[in-house]
């Protein structure tokens, strides 16, 4: 195993049996493709239930008397407002007030917290925030994360869980027993559908996965994940946001608590507010397939942006992309030229998200 692939999912053999080559993401072999059609996987998430192995996300347990204060310094949310059994999506900033990462913080109760993040610098910045404080920071790859997403997710999980999941509101989580195994179930996801993430140890996650397959939940690849998350306007760190961007530039201003001070990068962020150089938008592209990404966007002969995350949505019958554009051309309805490689076409800025714009499917009771 190479140094880059230094992490292994306990579900790796399930992925290879489904045709995955275990491509790298975040240092772990990840199912970017299966032999199944990603359009069928897409349909499963939108119509029934599909599941993704999200174990490449990094899970960190933070505990001790200063745990909340450390997380408060690390993140843009007011951590004191995250009650036991609740979670919050938030930004982690550099000293310059730009995006070091995005993450979800979970209050597990009894002084224990969990932060789950992707490929940004959260861990290094967490260690820096923890220095000199009475806190324990423990990264764990034993804890795995299977995300079950789709309108059938509640019924499927509820039938095999020791608690009534219908009472779990969006971004709430709880300890539970699923298929006889201890786990933590969180009503979160990355699909634009009602869904649940199951956090469970390596010793039991394989059986949970197999039992879900037996219940008709379809294993889904990261290619399908890209389709559903782009339709839902959900960002991927490293593509749709980097350390070059503030939360306000990429549409994450809602993660910044208005009354909070003292967190890393807060003064620089306050100074940058209102000076945004780009906006994050969704494009409908006049093309019969997915574009490559990296295409240049222009208007009236001037370069105004770049394509970041493309996909082709067979359900909408259109080529889509998330893109960065100058604020002057970010309004829905704006026409742009798209050029790069073998692509020379036009695109229209549309309201985001293009799928379920009222977000009723994720938030429904």
């Amino acid at each position: 195993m190479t140094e880059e692939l230094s992490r292994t999912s306990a579900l790796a053999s399930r992925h290879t049996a489904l045709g995955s080559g275990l491509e790298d993401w975040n240092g772990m072999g990840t199912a970017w493709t299966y032999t199944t059609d990603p359009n069928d996987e897409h349909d499963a998430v939108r119509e029934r239930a599909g599941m993704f192995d999200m174990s490449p996300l990094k899970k960190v347990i933070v505990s001790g008397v200063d745990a909340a204060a450390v997380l408060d310094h690390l993140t843009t949310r007011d951590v004191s407002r995250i009650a036991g059994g609740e979670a919050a999506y938030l930004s982690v900033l550099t000293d310059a007030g730009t995006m070091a990462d995005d993450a979800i913080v979970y209050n597990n109760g009894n002084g224990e917290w969990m932060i789950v993040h992707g490929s940004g610098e959260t861990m290094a910045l967490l260690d820096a925030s923890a220095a000199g404080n009475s806190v324990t920071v423990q990264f764990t790859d034993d804890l795995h994360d299977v995300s079950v997403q789709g309108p059938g997710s509640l019924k499927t999980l509820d039938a095999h869980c020791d608690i009534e999941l219908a009472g779990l509101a969006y971004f709430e989580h709880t300890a539970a027993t699923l298929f006889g195994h201890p786990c933590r179930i969180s009503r979160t996801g990355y699909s634009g559908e009602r869904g649940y993430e199951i956090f469970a140890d390596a010793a039991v996650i394989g059986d949970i996965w197999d039992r879900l397959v037996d219940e008709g939940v379809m294993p889904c690849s990261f290619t399908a994940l890209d389709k559903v998350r782009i339709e839902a306007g959900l960002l991927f760190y490293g593509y749709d946001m980097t350390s070059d961007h503030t939360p306000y530039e990429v549409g994450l201003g809602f993660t910044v608590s208005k009354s909070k001070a003292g967190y890393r990068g807060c003064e620089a962020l306050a100074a940058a507010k209102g000076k945004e150089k780009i906006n994050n938008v969704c494009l409908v592209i006049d093309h019969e397939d997915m574009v490559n990404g990296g295409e240049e966007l222009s208007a009236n002969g001037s370069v105004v942006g770049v394509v970041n995350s493309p996909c082709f949505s067979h359900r909408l019958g259109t080529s889509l992309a998330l893109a960065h554009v100058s604020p002057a051309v970010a309004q829905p309805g704006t026409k742009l030229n798209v050029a790069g490689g073998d692509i020379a076409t036009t695109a229209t800025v549309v309201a985001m998200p293009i799928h379920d714009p009222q977000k009723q499917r994720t938030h429904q009771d």
Side-chain angles (χ1 to χ4, degrees):
M1 183 175 292
T2 65
E3 184 178 353
E4 288 76 19
L5 292 179
S6 56
R7 308 169 60 212
T8 303
S9 170
L11 297 170
S13 63
R14 271 87 172 170
H15 300 320
T16 56
L18 292 167
S20 170
L22 295 179
E23 299 83 2
D24 175 40
W25 181 61
N26 218 11
M28 181 177 282
T30 304
W32 282 99
T33 58
Y34 290 134
T35 53
T36 47
D37 188 332
N39 289 340
D40 293 340
E41 299 164 16
H42 185 174
D43 287 340
V45 172
R46 291 282 181 251
E47 298 172 7
R48 302 177 301 280
M51 61 181 173
F52 305 90
D53 180 10
M54 300 304 298
S55 303
L57 292 169
K58 294 181 177 178
K59 288 79 60 185
V60 186
I61 304 300
V62 184
S63 57
V65 296
D66 293 332
V70 167
L71 291 169
D72 214 39
H73 179 261
L74 176 72
T75 69
T76 55
R77 292 273 196 186
D78 182 351
V79 170
S80 69
R81 300 183 65 179
I82 307 173
E86 294 181 350
Y89 176 68
L90 39 72
S91 299
V92 176
L93 303 184
T94 66
D95 289 332
T98 60
M99 295 294 301
D101 210 348
D102 63 337
I104 297 180
V105 165
Y106 299 78
N107 185 344
N108 291 348
N110 298 317
E112 180 182 282
W113 301 73
M114 179 171 68
I115 184 165
V116 177
H117 71 97
S119 57
E121 294 299 316
T122 289
M123 191 65 194
L125 295 173
L126 174 58
D127 284 339
S129 293
N133 287 283
S134 181
V135 64
T136 299
V137 175
Q138 182 181 8
F139 167 74
T140 173
D141 255 350
D142 186 61
L143 189 63
H144 283 56
D145 176 4
V146 170
S147 183
V148 181
Q149 302 290 305
S153 59
L154 173 61
K155 182 178 180 180
T156 298
L157 294 175
D158 229 13
H160 303 281
C161 191
D162 67 330
I163 61 171
E164 294 287 338
L165 292 175
L168 206 62
Y170 192 48
F171 269 76
E172 290 185 347
H173 56 100
T174 184
T177 300
L178 182 67
F179 296 113
H181 300 300
C183 62
R184 180 167 294 275
I185 298 179
S186 172
R187 189 175 164 186
T188 45
Y190 193 52
S191 67
E193 297 292 336
R194 185 176 193 137
Y196 300 85
E197 291 184 90
I198 303 161
F199 295 93
D201 292 343
V204 302
I205 199 66
D207 188 59
I208 290 173
W209 178 277
D210 294 343
R211 297 286 295 274
L212 288 168
V213 169
D214 290 343
E215 292 297 318
V217 179
M218 186 174 193
C220 297
S221 65
F222 269 42
T223 298
L225 184 66
D226 252 355
K227 292 174 180 288
V228 296
R229 67 99 180 170
I230 290 168
E231 287 181 343
L234 300 172
L235 311 186
F236 195 150
Y237 189 85
Y239 292 86
D240 309 298
M241 54 179 156
T242 71
S243 59
D244 291 333
H245 311 118
T246 70
Y248 299 116
E249 290 181 310
V250 294
L252 297 183
F254 71 92
T255 68
V256 181
S257 294
K258 294 181 175 61
S259 60
K260 182 181 172 183
Y263 57 91
R264 180 182 288 106
C266 63
E267 292 181 2
L269 178 61
K273 187 177 182 181
K275 303 174 183 177
E276 292 75 33
K277 297 177 181 178
I278 60 100
N279 286 168
N280 197 68
V281 299
C282 184
L283 301 176
V284 169
I285 302 175
D286 300 313
H287 192 60
E288 61 185 9
D289 203 347
M290 171 179 140
V291 301
N292 301 312
E295 287 83 7
E296 190 174 84
L297 302 171
S298 62
N300 301 318
S302 298
V303 176
V304 295
V306 64
V307 172
N308 294 319
S309 293
C311 77
F312 186 84
S313 171
H314 73 289
R315 295 183 65 84
L316 300 177
T318 191
S319 185
L320 298 176
L322 301 184
H324 289 162
V325 300
S326 63
V329 297
Q331 295 76 22
T334 304
K335 278 279 191 181
L336 301 173
N337 295 310
V338 184
D342 59 349
I343 304 297
T345 186
T346 57
T348 305
V349 178
V350 296
M352 187 166 64
I354 196 167
H355 167 75
D356 188 26
Q358 302 304 316
K359 301 184 180 180
Q360 294 176 339
R361 295 169 77 91
T362 51
H363 292 66
Q364 64 187 323
D365 292 333

